[in-house]
C-alpha cells in the first residue's frame, strides 16, 4: 500500500499532520461518544490514532497539547449525572500488524528487563460501549460509561435492565468495580431495526450504535426494551485483589456471575498470541456479535503494576485490530485550506462513498508533493501516479490518516484531466505562499494579515484546552472576526468586547441570536477567563509546535508568566544560558525552542501577546504536593546503560518520586545517574561539579535496592 512512511515526514509535514489528526480525532470522538452517530469507521479512527502516535513517537517535540494520545473518549453528554471514576477508565494502544505485536512484546520485556518468555492473555475486543459497574457489599450501586476516562455518565438505572449484569453478587470483595463492554448481538440488532422500520422509527447503522444509543437513554424503560448484553474483562476500584494474574481474575469474575468471553486464552509470548488472533479472525464471522480485534494483556498483575501507564493507555496491554477497507470513488475537486500556522493543506472532495459502513466525502491530500506522486525526499509514491481532479481514486481506510487517497486508476482517467497546479499564492489573503527548504508544506507568508490564519488562531485561542470561554466557540469567534461593528481580530480584543459594546450602547443584545441574558452570560464568561493558568495561556498563544504537553512542561519549568516571558525575551536561538536552560527541559527539542524564541522576537506577534497579557492575571504554577523522597524537587539526568531497570522505568520512577528528569546536563542538574558507557554527559557533569552516582546508588535512592 502506498502510504507515505512516517520516517519520511519532515518536521513541518509532521506538525501539519498532527494538527489535522487532532482535529479529525476530536470531531470523530464527539460524533461517536457524545452523539452516538459516528462519522467515520472504527478502522479509520484507529488509523488516525495510530498515525498520530507514530508521528509523535518520531517527533516528540511536536506533540500537541490537545494530543489525541492523551485523551480517552469524549466529555459526558448533557442530561446524565456525572460519575468521577475512582480509577481512570483507560483506552488501549493499537497494533495493526504482527510486527506491531512483536514490538509490543519486545517493549514490555525491555521495560521489565525480562529475558524469558512472558505470558499474556488474549481475548476478542468487543465492538460495544465500555461500562464500569460498582458493587458495594455485593450490591450493584452504580453504573457509569467511560466518558472522557475521568468522568462518565451515570447510567445505573439503564444498566439494571441488562440481564447479563447481576444486581447482586455473593462472595465478592466489599468494593468491586467490574469493567467491560455492553454490546448487541447481530440477531438482536436485526430484530430491533426491523421493529423500528415497521413503526417508522429511526434505525441504527450498526450494533455498536444501537448498543450505545440504547444504554445512553435518559428513560431507562426504553433501555429495558433493548436486548443489551455485557462481557466483563477488567476492574477498577477493589477492596481486595481478585487474583494474582489477569487470567485468574477473569475466572474469578466468571465465578461471581459475570459473562466473560469464552475465547479468552493464556498465551506464552507473541507466537501464541498471533496464533490465537488468527484463530479468532477465522471465527469472527460466526460469533454473532461484532469484534474489531484481539486484546493482549500481560498476565502477571505484579508486572502490570510495574509497567504502569502512559497518559491514557497502559503499557501492559494492546489491541491488535483487524485490517480495514478500501473503496474507489471519483475526485470531484481539490480545495486548499489555510491553517493556524499558515500551512496550505489540500483536501480532496470526493463523490460520497461508503467505506466500512461510513460515508466518506473528504480525504486529506497532505501537500503538493503527495498530489504529484512524490514523498518528502523526492522518492516515488503510488508508482509515481499523480492525482488529478476527475480521477478515480482509492480511499485508504486503515493504518494511516483517514480518509486518505491511496491509489489512482489511470485507465479511468478522463482525457481532459490536467496535473493539479498547487497555488503559490494564499487563496485567503493573496500573500505569497512559500515553501522553505526541507519543508513539504507551503505556507502563507501573510502571518497576522492573513484572515484565515487569524481566524484559526482565534479558534485555537478559545478552544477547550486553551481559554475555553463558554458561549464563545469556533463559530462565534468566526462571526465576531467578520463583525463590522464589534470586530474581534485578535485575542486581546475578546477582552475589550464588553467595553466596546457599552460604548456602542449595547449593540450586541439587539442583534439576531443574542438577547440580554445571553450577552450577559458571554461577558461573564469572558470576565471569568481574565484569570488563566500559565500553561493554558502558553498553549493558547498558538505558537507553532507548542502543544498542550509542551505548554505544561514550559509552565512547570518557568512557573510564572514573568519568568517565562523574561527567559524567552533574553533567549537567542542556539546560544546562551537561556537557550541551554530551555532545551534542557525533557521534551523540548530544538525545533520547538526555535519556534518559541522566534515568536517572542517577532514584533507583531510579541505586540499581540503583550496586548493580551495586559488584560489577564496569569496564575502561577502551583508547586506539586511534596513527595517525601531523597530526590524530590531535584533535577536528574540519566546517561549510559542501565542494567537493572530500563531507562523508561527509571524515568517514570524518578518522576513518581517528585524529581524532574532532564535530557541534558546543565548548571541546574542535581544528580547524574551514569550507567556503563556514559560519555560526554558524565564529563560535563564532572566539570560542573555535579554529583554522579551509579545504578545501584540510584536504586537505593529510589527504594528499589
Ligand atoms: N477485551 C477487552 N476489551 N478491552 C477494552 N479488554 C479490554 N481492556 C480494555 C479496554 C479499553 O482496557 C484495559 C486497559 C482494562
Amino acid at each position: 500500500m502506498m502510504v507515505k512512511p512516517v520516517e519520511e515526514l519532515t518536521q513541518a509535514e509532521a506538525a501539519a499532520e498532527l494538527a489535522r489528526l487532532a482535529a479529525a480525532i476530536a470531531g470523530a470522538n464527539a460524533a461517536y461518544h457524545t452523539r452516538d452517530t459516528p462519522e467515520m469507521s472504527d478502522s479509520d479512527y484507529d488509523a488516525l490514532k495510530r498515525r498520530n502516535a507514530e508521528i509523535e513517537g518520531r517527533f516528540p517535540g511536536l506533540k500537541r497539547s490537545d494530543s489525541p494520545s492523551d485523551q480517552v473518549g469524549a466529555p459526558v453528554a448533557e442530561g446524565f449525572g456525572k460519575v468521577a471514576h475512582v480509577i481512570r477508565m483507560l483506552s488501549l494502544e493499537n497494533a495493526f500488524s504482527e510486527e506491531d505485536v512483536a514490538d509490543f512484546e519486545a517493549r514490555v520485556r525491555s521495560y521489565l528487563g525480562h529475558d524469558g518468555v512472558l505470558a499474556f492473555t488474549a481475548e476478542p475486543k468487543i465492538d460495544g460501549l465500555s461500562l464500569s459497574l460498582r458493587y458495594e457489599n455485593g450490591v450493584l450501586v452504580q453504573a457509569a460509561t467511560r466518558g472522557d476516562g475521568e468522568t462518565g455518565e451515570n447510567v445505573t438505572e439503564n444498566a439494571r435492565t441488562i440481564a447479563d449484569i447481576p444486581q447482586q453478587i455473593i462472595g465478592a470483595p466489599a468494593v468491586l468495580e467490574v469493567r467491560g463492554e455492553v454490546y448487541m448481538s447481530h440477531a438482536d440488532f436485526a430484530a430491533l431495526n426491523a421493529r423500528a422500520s415497521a413503526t417508522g422509527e429511526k434505525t441504527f447503522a450498526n450494533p455498536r450504535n444501537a448498543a450505545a444509543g440504547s444504554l445512553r437513554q435518559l428513560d431507562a424503560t426504553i433501555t429495558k426494551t433493548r436486548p443489551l448484553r455485557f462481557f466483563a474483562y477488567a476492574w477498577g476500584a477493589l477492596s481486595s485483589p481478585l487474583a494474582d494474574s489477569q487470567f485468574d481474575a477473569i475466572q474469578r469474575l466468571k465465578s461471581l456471575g459475570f459473562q466473560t468471553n469464552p475465547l479468552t486464552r493464556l498465551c506464552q509470548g507473541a507466537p501464541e498470541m498471533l496464533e490465537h488472533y488468527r484463530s479468532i479472525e477465522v471465527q469472527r464471522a460466526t460469533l454473532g456479535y461484532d469484534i474489531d480485534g484481539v486484546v493482549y494483556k500481560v498476565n502477571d498483575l505484579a508486572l502490570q503494576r510495574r509497567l504502569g501507564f502512559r497518559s491514557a493507555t497502559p503499557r501492559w496491554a494492546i489491541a491488535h485490530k483487524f485490517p480495514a477497507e478500501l473503496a474507489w470513488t471519483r475526485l470531484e475537486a481539490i480545495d486548499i485550506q489555510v491553517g493556524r500556522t499558515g500551512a496550505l493543506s489540500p483536501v480532496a472532495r470526493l463523490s460520497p462513498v461508503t467505506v466500512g459502513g461510513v460515508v466518506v466525502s473528504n480525504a486529506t491530500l497532505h501537500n503538493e508533493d503527495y498530489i504529484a506522486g512524490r514523498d518528502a525526499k523526492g522518492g516515488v509514491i503510488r508508482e509515481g501516479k499523480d492525482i488529478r481532479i476527475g480521477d478515480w481514486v482509492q480511499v485508504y481506510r486503515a493504518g494511516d490518516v483517514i480518509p486518505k487517497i491511496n491509489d489512482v486508476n489511470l485507465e479511468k482517467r478522463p482525457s481532459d484531466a490536467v496535473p493539479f497546479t498547487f497555488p503559490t499564492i494564499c487563496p485567503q489573503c493573496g500573500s505569497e505562499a512559500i515553501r522553505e527548504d526541507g519543508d513539504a508544506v507551503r505556507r502563507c507568508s501573510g502571518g497576522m494579515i492573513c484572515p484565515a490564519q487569524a481566524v484559526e488562531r482565534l479558534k485555537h485561542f478559545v478552544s477547550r484546552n486553551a481559554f475555553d470561554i463558554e458561549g464563545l466557540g469556533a463559530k462565534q469567534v468566526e462571526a465576531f472576526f467578520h463583525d463590522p461593528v464589534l470586530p474581534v481580530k485578535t485575542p486581546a480584543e475578546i477582552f475589550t468586547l464588553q467595553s466596546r459594546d457599552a460604548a456602542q450602547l449595547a449593540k450586541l443584545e439587539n442583534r439576531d441570536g443574542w438577547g440580554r441574558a445571553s450577552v450577559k452570560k458571554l461577558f461573564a464568561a469572558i470576565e471569568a477567563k481574565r484569570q488563566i493558568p500559565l500553561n493554558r495561556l502558553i498553549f493558547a498563544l498558538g505558537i507553532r509546535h507548542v502543544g498542550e504537553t509542551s505548554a505544561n512542561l514550559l509552565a512547570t519549568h518557568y512557573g510564572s508568566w514573568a519568568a517565562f516571558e523574561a527567559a524567552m525575551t533574553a533567549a537567542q536561538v542556539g546560544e546562551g544560558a537561556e537557550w541551554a536552560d530551555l532545551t534542557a527541559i525533557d521534551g523540548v527539542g530544538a525545533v520547538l525552542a526555535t519556534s518559541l524564541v522566534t515568536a517572542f522576537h517577532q514584533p507583531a506577534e510579541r505586540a499581540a501577546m503583550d496586548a493580551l497579557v495586559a488584560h489577564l492575571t496569569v496564575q502561577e504554577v502551583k508547586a506539586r504536593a511534596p513527595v517525601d523522597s531523597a530526590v524530590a524537587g531535584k533535577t536528574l539526568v540519566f546517561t549510559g546503560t542501565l542494567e537493572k531497570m530500563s531507562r523508561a522505568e527509571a524515568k517514570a520512577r524518578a518522576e513518581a518520586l517528585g524529581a524532574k528528569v532532564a535530557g541534558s546536563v546543565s548548571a541546574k542538574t542535581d544528580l547524574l545517574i551514569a550507567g556503563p558507557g556514559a560519555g560526554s554527559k558524565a564529563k560535563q557533569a564532572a566539570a560542573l561539579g555535579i554529583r554522579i552516582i551509579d545504578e545501584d546508588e540510584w536504586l537505593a535512592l529510589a527504594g528499589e535496592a
Side-chain angles (χ1 to χ4, degrees), residues 90-92 123-126 146 181 233-234 295 297 314 316:
L90 297 157
S91 64
L92 294 166
E123 71 200 276
K125 184 167 188 304
I126 313 298
R146 180 161 70 183
E181 204 84 357
Y233 55 66
V295 181
K297 293 175 184 165
W316 41 265

Side-chain angles (χ1 to χ4, degrees), residues 95-294:
F96 295 93
S97 64
E98 299 200 347
E99 198 188 348
D100 288 351
V101 176
D103 285 351
F104 162 69
E105 192 211 22
R107 259 195 329 270
V108 168
R109 287 178 37 192
S110 138
Y111 190 102
L112 296 170
H114 187 98
D115 286 335
V117 175
L118 259 186
F120 291 81
T121 58
E123 71 200 276
K125 184 167 188 304
I126 313 298
D127 196 8
L129 181 76
S130 310
L131 187 68
S132 184
L133 306 168
R134 185 176 171 93
Y135 292 85
E136 286 174 7
N137 300 315
V139 178
L140 176 65
V141 293
Q142 189 174 71
T145 62
R146 180 161 70 183
D148 63 3
E150 308 264 358
T151 309
E153 293 152 346
N154 188 336
V155 290
T156 312
E157 293 317 309
N158 308 29
R160 289 190 198 285
T161 69
I162 301 174
D164 284 348
I165 295 179
Q167 302 272 334
Q168 253 184 314
I169 46 181
I170 294 166
V175 173
L176 166 64
E177 284 183 5
V178 176
R179 291 177 174 177
E181 204 84 357
V182 172
Y183 68 101
M184 196 178 281
S185 74
H186 291 158
D188 288 340
F189 166 69
L192 176 68
N193 263 359
R195 281 205 308 273
S197 334
T199 54
E201 287 170 65
K202 185 183 135 202
T203 56
F204 291 100
N206 54 48
R208 200 216 84 91
N209 286 4
S214 302
L215 182 68
R216 298 170 71 250
Q217 279 288 340
L218 291 173
D219 179 357
T221 58
I222 299 180
T223 311
K224 197 170 174 144
T225 66
R226 304 283 172 81
L228 295 175
R229 296 165 190 248
F230 179 77
F231 273 130
Y233 55 66
W235 54 92
L238 288 176
S239 54
S240 58
L242 289 172
D244 291 336
S245 71
Q246 179 75 31
F247 192 81
D248 290 349
I250 299 300
Q251 294 310 309
R252 176 91 195 276
L253 290 177
K254 190 175 172 192
S255 72
L256 289 170
F258 292 93
Q259 300 298 320
T260 58
N261 197 285
L263 292 174
T264 306
R265 295 276 182 282
L266 190 56
C267 303
Q268 302 299 329
E272 285 190 22
M273 286 144 72
L274 295 172
E275 194 184 310
H276 193 45
Y277 172 90
R278 289 189 281 266
S279 141
I280 291 177
E281 202 176 17
V282 170
Q283 298 174 66
R284 184 182 183 189
T286 54
L287 291 177
Y289 49 87
D290 279 350
I291 62 171
D292 58 356
V294 175

Side-chain angles (χ1 to χ4, degrees), residues 41-63:
S41 73
D42 290 355
S43 52
D44 276 354
Y45 180 82
D46 291 339
L48 285 175
K49 286 203 70 157
R50 180 194 182 208
R51 176 82 169 175
N52 188 74
E54 279 177 13
I55 298 174
E56 287 176 349
R58 198 180 146 220
F59 299 98
L62 295 188
K63 189 168 172 195

Side-chain angles (χ1 to χ4, degrees), residues 20 67 106 115 160 206 219 237 281 305 318 335 428 454 529 576 585 607 615:
R20 276 197 298 276
S67 166
D115 286 335
R160 289 190 198 285
N206 54 48
D219 179 357
E281 202 176 17
R305 278 190 290 278
I318 201 161
D335 286 350
Q428 295 288 331
K529 293 297 161 87
I585 302 172
H615 295 287

